[in-house]
Amino acid sequence: MDKKIKTPNDYNLLDPVVIENPYEAYEVYRNQSPVYKSPETGFYVVTKYSDLKRVLTDYDFFSRDIAAHWEKDVKNRKKGYWKHGNSVSKVFQEKGWRQIPCFGAEPPNHTRFRKAANPSFTAGRVKKMEPYIINLINELIDTFIDDGEVEFVSQFCIPLPMNIIQDRLGFPKEDLPKLKGWSQDTSLSLSQMLTEEEEIACAERLVEFQHYMNDTFEEKRKSPKEDIISDLVSYMDEDGNHLKTEELLSIVSDLNIGGNETTTDSLASGMLMLMQQRDKLDDLLSGKAKLKNFIEEIIRLETPVQSLFRRVRKDVEVSGVNIPEGSIIDMRFGSANRDEDQFECPAKMDLKRKNPGKHLAYGTAHHHCIGAPLARQEMKFAFEILLKRLKNINLAEDKNDLLHRSHFALRGLNKLHLTFERA
């Protein structure tokens, strides 16, 4: 009996099974309906590299300002992203501050926010952090090297970028556990997997984070130091205006989650790839392959931010599909980065790929991720030092299910148990 050919209708991007392994669905979308209106969300799912790049760069038709969409008729929105938007917004407005976009804003606000934050992420600033990053990596390895076994996510992948971004932001080291909790709450609020009660509880915790940040702003105004928050609270634009509290909250919250969650996920994904493809590990150890290419292939193949959104400014046609004004585009970076028309053998890790950095995992043009150079640096040093100090690294027997957290937009392993020997 012939096997039924699957169509986009056979996949639901909110289904935990599809979320766990979305790549089959992406391939079907790309080949049969590269712009597909999802019946579950009402979003137009864009999966081809060329289409996604157009959506990212054609500002005449596509906007990052999606707030109007979420707020419009939200009471009647029974399914789809932010279905409990009214209840959640009320928590912030009554107990904290209204949430506004910063790096997801439109010009001129986006330009202003980037100008305020850019000095903290220059090549010189990132280069200056190298000794601190290298020392931190070695300190983390020291905590488990004598054990011969490690839960790699919680003991290495989480604390490495979390320590780095909190050090740069200027938060006290002793507050790192609750800062990580707030980062995870921010991620959860975007997951599309919470009940209304869970979303409200999450919002309540994030209001606590807002008040914590606001207290920190006051401290930095009185006693500024060499950190990002001190830079931001003292920043003044060409017109002599300081950033407002809502703007500061948004920028710091975005940097808090963006500076750790995606790097955590990429570190874990990269290690799993090496465990499953021992020939690539051998190539790195022997020097046949460059670590730089490996880092780009991790990011391309297991894109940590699988999806982001755009709003259609006016009626537009993409890949032959008419998309009406006001519609929401679901940009599937995880699919575009495996597009057969852009990458040869796209599902394969190729450490000699000629265009490894052409993926869209960190965005492009004006909305390229501000922390991408720092993330790449952390990953490069992490794998360089791990592969020097550990040998015979293997997946621990009977301890790994290799499952990812169930999330509409982000992709990362829950746990990764490894065994090893001291090199």
Side-chain angles (χ1 to χ4, degrees), residues 339-406:
D339 189 343
E340 301 83 354
D341 292 337
Q342 184 65 33
F343 302 99
E344 186 177 352
C345 300
K348 175 186 175 184
M349 177 182 281
D350 182 356
L351 299 186
K352 295 183 178 180
R353 192 176 294 282
K354 294 180 181 179
N355 59 348
K358 287 193 72 175
H359 59 75
L360 297 173
Y362 291 136
T364 189
H366 299 304
H367 291 290
H368 187 268
C369 175
I370 192 172
L374 179 58
R376 286 184 167 105
Q377 184 194 56
E378 291 176 40
M379 293 171 67
K380 174 183 176 294
F381 285 130
F383 282 105
E384 193 174 84
I385 296 170
L386 283 163
L387 297 183
K388 281 181 180 177
R389 297 194 62 187
L390 309 180
K391 67 178 183 179
N392 296 331
I393 309 171
N394 288 284
L395 294 174
E397 291 186 15
D398 303 321
K399 286 191 176 182
N400 289 300
D401 55 23
L402 304 183
L403 293 176
H404 299 76
R405 67 180 182 274
S406 195

Side-chain angles (χ1 to χ4, degrees), residues 83-99:
K83 53 191 171 184
H84 310 307
N86 260 10
S87 304
V88 171
S89 296
K90 190 176 180 181
V91 173
F92 287 102
Q93 290 170 4
E94 293 183 353
K95 299 182 179 182
W97 288 264
R98 181 173 62 97
Q99 290 183 306

